[in-house]
């Protein structure tokens, strides 16, 4: 076959255009048999003055580059520069075959992409911009141009960033709008553009696609029956829906209703990993749109919204993905007291608890996680707590204590913490269950950060809400229960610091002067060491509440001989003294601090 290329060069030298064209046509016809080692044969052909030769040369390169082994030979500046130049040729056929050649050359070929680069990208953009005149538009040219652009920018970070800079999203939007009415015939073109948009999304930093571009993808989703295109639309919509503005626009565009209808229509055909992945993506899009406050309110529509009703319907689904989506959607609707109260009054809590009871020991934790997240939201309003308790929420949650799945444990603890707030009877019953408190203490040392943070908070809330000092000794019977609270004091979060301090103050007020082992447990927990750490690490930022809680705790500890001795030998007093001069909030109780230091540990102190 190399002889044929030699013959082509001979014809060029003799300026026999007709023979050159015929021999090049033979190259096109037998392209699969060629193994091109070098591109020198084509250098002169690509700058020939005759458009017939240019057209068939580009056609030959396009065909030869369908063979992966041939692409390196053409991935040289002499070839790529000439091809980019040909994109501005006045002959439409030359341009079309050149775009084919560029598209095939760039497929899985990073070297060619770099060589063609931004100059080639701009030339393709310019070609595409000319294709909106109804009298001159050529659908084949549009499709080939979009395909070449897709292969050119694919996986090339610099070119994808250039697409963003050159605002190709709006251009793609225009192309899609012009062709969506003929989706069946322009499916490939639209698919190429959405593929590029999908790749561009990965390079949008603190920015989003134009709102109108996102909306046109919803229109594509309405008409597409191509799974790949539908999946790409969902991917782009999912990424873009992180913007609250886009969430609201998608809600108004009817995206959730559309996705619901698509799932209902095709859900029964989900029978492999690929189709299941698309289903999950569709469901995830609904949930994410509902995370926006404005979009959620619009779709809830005071409990009469179509999407709300559709999500309630999915609570009856046997498909785990649809069921969990319905549950999470209800959880997103339950983001303010008004909605939460209405949802509980409408029987949604009872429905969810029935599902939780059914799935309480299920190996698949997806539904459990979704249920606990939603029930936690529903339990926040004080009006709902007693209603949830009457539906045996606590008993169902306690049946899940041995689930051994950290994400579920985290949500379980959060739900319990919300529901015991202000519920004295329930808190007292739970705190007296040594098996439960023992499990709480074990969770305080979980490897999961969320569980490790939530467990001591629940213990502190039980102590605060039970209003029953007679229940406190049951806590002290559990080893390390006090240590959990002492270590919680050192959290970087002021809320957790104060919760721990309040719980310790309540225990000290009731148990420190009695025959309990609280003093020993505080010493074993290195109470003074932790207080010193807390004062030194966070003291400058303490609010008055935190300072007051610390002083109350120290006052109570000072009444116990062992703890007073520990205070005197620790660095607590030095930390306190230093804190007086660096935290403005301490000024209100500065005299009290100084008196405390003088009384229990006389030292020379400069008074404020």
């Amino acid at each position: 076959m190399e002889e044929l290329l030699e013959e082509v060069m001979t014809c060029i030298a003799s300026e026999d255009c007709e023979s050159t064209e015929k021999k090049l046509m033979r190259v096109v016809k037998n392209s699969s048999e060629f193994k091109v080692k070098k591109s020198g044969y084509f250098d002169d052909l690509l700058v020939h003055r005759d458009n017939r030769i240019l057209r068939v040369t580009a056609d030959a390169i396009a065909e030869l580059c369908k063979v992966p082994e041939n692409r390196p030979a053409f991935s040289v500046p002499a070839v790529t520069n000439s091809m980019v130049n040909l994109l501005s040729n006045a002959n439409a056929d030359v341009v079309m075959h050149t775009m084919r050649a560029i598209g095939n050359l760039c497929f899985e070929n990073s070297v060619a992409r770099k060589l063609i680069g931004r100059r080639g990208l701009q030339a393709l953009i310019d070609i595409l911009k000319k294709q909106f005149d109804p009298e001159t538009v050529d659908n084949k040219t549009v499709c080939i141009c979009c395909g070449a652009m897709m292969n050119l920018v694919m996986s090339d970070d610099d070119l994808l960033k250039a697409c963003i800079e050159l605002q190709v999203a709006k251009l793609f939007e225009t192309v899609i709008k012009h062709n969506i009415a003929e989706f069946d015939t322009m499916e490939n073109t639209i698919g190429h553009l959405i593929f590029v948009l999908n790749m561009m999304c990965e390079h949008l930093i603190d920015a989003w696609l134009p709102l109108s571009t996102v909306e046109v993808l919803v229109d594509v989703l309405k008409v597409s029956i191509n799974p790949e295109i539908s999946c790409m639309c969902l991917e782009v919509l999912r990424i873009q829906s992180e913007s609250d503005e886009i969430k609201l626009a998608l809600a108004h565009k009817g995206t959730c209703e559309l996705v619901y209808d698509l799932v209902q229509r095709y859900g029964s055909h989900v029978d492999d990993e690929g189709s299941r992945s698309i289903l999950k993506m569709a469901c995830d899009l609904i949930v994410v749109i509902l995370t926006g406050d404005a979009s959620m309110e619009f779709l809830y529509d005071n409990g009469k919204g179509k999407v709300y009703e559709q999500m309630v319907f999915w609570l009856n689904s046997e498909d785990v993905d649809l069921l969990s989506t319905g549950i999470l959607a209800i959880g997103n609707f339950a983001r303010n007291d008004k909605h939460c109260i209405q949802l509980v009054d409408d029987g949604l809590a009872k429905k969810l608890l029935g599902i939780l009871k059914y799935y309480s020991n299920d190996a698949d934790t997806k539904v459990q996680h979704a249920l606990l997240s939603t029930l936690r939201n529903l339990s926040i309003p004080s009006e709902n707590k007693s209603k949830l308790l009457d539906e045996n929420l606590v008993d169902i949650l306690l049946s899940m204590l041995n689930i051994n799945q950290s994400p579920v444990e985290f949500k379980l603890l959060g739900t319990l913490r919300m529901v015991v707030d202000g519920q004295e009877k329930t808190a007292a019953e739970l705190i007296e269950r040594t098996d439960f408190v023992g499990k709480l203490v074990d969770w305080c040392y979980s490897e999961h950060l969320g569980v490790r943070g939530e467990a001591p908070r629940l213990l502190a809330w039980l102590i605060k809400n039970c209003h029953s000092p007679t229940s406190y000794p049951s806590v002290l019977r559990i080893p390390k229960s006090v240590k959990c609270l002492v270590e919680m004091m050192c959290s970087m979060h002021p809320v957790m610091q104060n919760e721990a301090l309040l719980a310790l103050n309540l225990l000290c007020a009731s148990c420190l002067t009695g025959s309990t082992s609280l003093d020993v447990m505080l010493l074993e927990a290195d109470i003074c060491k932790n207080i010193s750490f807390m004062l030194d690490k966070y003291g400058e930022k303490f609010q008055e509440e935190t300072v007051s809680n610390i002083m109350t705790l120290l006052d109570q500890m000072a009444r116990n001989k062992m703890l007073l001795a520990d205070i005197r030998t620790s660095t607590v007093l030095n930390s306190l003294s230093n804190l007086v001069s660096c935290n403005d909030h301490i000024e209100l109780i500065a005299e009290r601090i100084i008196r405390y230091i003088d009384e229990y540990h006389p030292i020379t102190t400069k008074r404020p």
Side-chain angles (χ1 to χ4, degrees):
M1 289 298 172
E2 191 168 340
E3 294 81 2
L4 179 56
L5 293 175
E6 292 289 353
E7 292 175 14
V8 170
M9 299 309 295
T10 301
C11 292
I12 292 175
S14 62
E15 298 187 356
D16 186 350
C17 291
E18 185 174 346
S19 296
T20 301
E21 184 179 11
K22 288 180 179 179
K23 293 183 184 300
L24 282 171
M25 289 299 295
R26 287 177 57 195
V27 174
V28 172
K29 184 177 180 180
N30 299 288
S31 58
S32 62
E33 301 175 18
F34 279 83
K35 296 293 181 284
V36 183
K37 303 294 184 183
K38 57 183 180 178
S39 66
Y41 295 111
F42 294 88
D43 292 351
D44 291 338
L45 292 169
L46 285 167
V47 294
H48 202 280
R49 64 181 180 276
D50 193 312
N51 280 336
R52 291 178 301 165
I53 303 301
L54 293 174
R55 182 197 64 79
V56 75
T57 299
D59 191 9
I61 295 174
E63 293 301 318
L64 290 168
C65 285
K66 288 181 179 179
V67 180
E69 293 78 11
N70 288 339
R71 291 172 199 152
F74 294 101
S75 302
V76 293
V79 173
T80 56
N81 287 338
S82 294
M83 287 201 295
V84 173
N85 291 337
L86 288 179
L87 291 176
S88 58
N89 191 287
N91 185 285
D93 285 340
V94 172
V95 172
M96 183 178 69
H97 287 293
T98 302
M99 289 190 297
R100 287 183 57 239
I102 288 175
N104 291 344
L105 176 61
C106 289
F107 184 70
E108 296 182 346
N109 185 355
S110 59
V111 175
R113 291 175 189 141
K114 295 295 183 186
L115 289 171
I116 293 171
R118 184 163 179 153
R119 191 166 75 94
L121 174 62
Q122 183 64 66
L124 292 171
I125 291 172
D126 292 341
I127 292 168
L128 198 55
K129 286 179 177 178
K130 297 175 183 177
Q131 296 299 313
F132 301 130
D133 186 342
E135 295 183 1
T136 60
V137 66
D138 180 77
N139 288 344
K140 186 176 182 180
T141 298
V142 172
C143 184
I144 292 172
C145 182
C146 293
M149 197 180 302
M150 178 182 72
N151 285 354
L152 173 61
V153 305
M154 187 183 299
S155 303
D156 190 297
D157 292 345
D158 291 335
L159 289 176
L160 287 167
K161 291 176 183 176
C163 285
I164 296 170
E165 293 172 16
L166 296 170
Q167 299 182 340
V168 301
K170 290 296 291 182
L171 173 62
F172 289 1
E173 174 193 330
T174 304
V175 175
I176 294 172
K177 284 181 176 178
H178 271 72
N179 294 284
I180 197 167
E182 301 175 15
F183 184 82
D184 290 344
T185 57
M186 298 300 290
E187 184 177 64
N188 287 338
T189 300
I190 293 173
H192 295 332
L193 297 180
I194 296 174
F195 188 86
V196 176
L197 286 172
N198 198 354
M199 291 188 292
M200 285 170 55
C201 287
E202 299 176 10
H203 297 275
L204 287 167
I205 301 173
D206 296 326
W208 310 100
L209 293 175
L211 191 56
S212 54
T213 304
V214 175
E215 290 177 333
V216 83
L217 294 181
V218 179
D219 295 330
V220 173
L221 199 58
K222 289 178 182 177
V223 298
S224 173
I225 57 173
N226 182 312
E228 291 184 8
I229 291 179
S230 297
C231 184
M232 286 191 293
C233 284
L234 289 170
E235 286 178 353
V236 176
L237 292 173
R238 170 62 185 85
I239 295 170
Q240 295 302 298
S241 62
E242 294 296 329
S243 159
D244 283 346
E245 181 186 7
I246 292 177
K247 285 185 182 79
L248 182 58
L250 291 176
H252 281 281
K253 185 77 175 174
T255 308
C256 294
E257 294 92 329
L258 171 62
V259 170
Y260 174 86
D261 290 339
L262 291 174
V263 170
Q264 290 298 103
R265 190 184 312 159
Y266 299 112
S268 60
H269 301 292
V270 173
D271 54 6
D272 58 28
E273 187 175 339
S275 56
R276 176 58 60 177
S277 177
I278 296 174
L279 175 70
K280 289 180 178 179
M281 196 184 309
C283 292
D284 190 39
L285 178 59
I286 294 176
V287 174
V288 172
I289 290 173
L290 287 171
T291 60
D293 289 338
S295 54
M296 178 273 289
E297 287 285 359
F298 174 77
L299 294 172
Y300 183 65
D301 192 19
N302 200 32
K304 299 175 183 178
K306 184 177 180 181
V307 173
Y308 167 68
E309 293 174 350
Q310 291 169 335
M311 294 302 100
V312 171
F313 179 76
W314 272 357
L315 296 181
N316 300 306
S317 177
E318 295 180 359
D319 185 294
V320 171
D321 289 314
L322 301 188
L323 174 59
S324 59
T325 300
I327 296 166
L328 288 172
I330 298 302
N332 281 332
F333 287 126
R335 289 215 306 278
N336 60 52
D337 285 1
K338 178 183 176 183
H339 290 186
C340 287
I341 293 168
Q342 187 174 3
L343 290 169
V344 171
D345 288 344
D346 288 347
L348 265 296
K350 185 173 184 178
K351 175 74 174 179
L352 294 171
L353 286 169
I355 299 171
L356 181 59
K357 188 174 183 180
Y358 180 81
Y359 280 91
S360 60
N361 295 304
D362 197 89
D364 188 342
T365 60
K366 183 175 183 178
V367 173
Q368 298 168 344
H369 192 273
L371 283 164
L372 291 170
S373 297
T374 300
L375 287 167
R376 180 191 180 280
N377 285 1
L378 291 175
S379 65
I380 292 175
S382 57
E383 296 94 324
N384 284 354
K385 298 181 191 295
S386 60
K387 296 175 183 177
L388 287 166
L389 293 172
D390 289 343
E391 297 289 349
N392 296 318
L393 169 62
V394 171
D395 289 339
I396 296 172
L397 295 180
L398 292 178
S399 71
M400 301 174 66
L401 290 183
N402 297 315
I403 199 101
N404 293 325
Q405 292 289 336
S406 295
V408 176
E409 292 169 347
F410 174 63
K411 292 298 181 181
L412 187 150
L413 290 166
T415 305
L416 277 171
R417 184 166 63 84
M418 282 298 111
V419 82
V420 300
D421 187 23
Q423 303 301 303
E424 181 177 333
K425 182 174 179 292
T426 301
E429 290 173 352
L430 284 172
I431 206 169
E432 290 181 2
R433 291 188 56 156
T434 53
D435 58 333
F436 174 67
V437 177
K439 186 71 174 178
L440 268 187
V441 172
D442 290 340
W443 275 330
C444 289
Y445 300 98
S446 168
E447 293 182 359
H448 187 276
L449 288 176
V451 173
R452 195 159 73 234
E454 194 65 54
R457 291 194 75 190
L458 176 55
L459 179 58
W461 280 45
L462 291 174
I463 293 170
K464 177 182 73 171
N465 285 285
C466 74
H467 302 300
S468 176
T470 58
S471 300
Y472 295 160
S474 62
V475 175
L476 304 183
R477 287 195 289 270
I478 306 299
K480 296 186 178 180
S481 57
V482 173
K483 184 179 180 182
C484 293
L485 297 171
V486 170
E487 292 176 349
M488 181 181 165
M489 287 191 319
C490 297
S491 166
M492 63 184 291
H493 304 292
V495 171
M496 293 179 66
Q497 293 170 0
N498 283 308
E499 288 174 354
L501 288 167
L502 176 58
L504 289 169
N505 276 322
L506 289 171
L507 290 176
C508 288
S510 299
C511 304
L512 199 53
T513 56
S515 57
T516 66
S517 58
L518 178 57
D519 51 359
V520 175
M521 297 180 79
L522 287 168
L523 290 171
E524 290 176 347
D526 292 323
I527 180 67
C528 288
K529 180 180 178 181
N530 280 281
I531 292 175
S532 292
F533 172 84
M534 185 183 182
L535 293 169
D536 295 337
K537 180 79 173 178
Y538 307 112
E540 292 185 14
K541 299 179 181 178
F542 279 159
Q543 299 297 311
E544 294 177 41
E545 179 187 7
T546 308
V547 175
S548 178
N549 283 335
I550 292 172
M551 290 307 305
T552 301
L553 180 60
L554 288 171
D555 279 344
Q556 295 192 89
M557 289 170 57
R559 297 188 180 95
N560 178 282
K561 290 183 179 180
M562 287 196 301
L563 294 175
L564 176 57
D566 192 39
I567 292 172
R568 284 175 169 169
T569 57
S570 72
T571 60
V572 168
L573 297 178
N574 286 334
S575 297
L576 278 172
S577 183
N578 293 334
L579 190 58
V580 173
S581 61
C582 67
N583 186 312
D584 293 339
H585 292 291
I586 304 272
E587 291 181 4
L588 298 174
I589 56 171
E591 289 296 332
R592 179 183 173 193
I593 293 175
I594 300 304
R595 285 197 302 271
Y596 177 85
I597 293 174
D598 288 344
E599 182 178 354
Y600 293 111
H601 191 71
I603 56 174
T604 302
T605 306
K606 182 180 178 181
R607 299 184 183 278

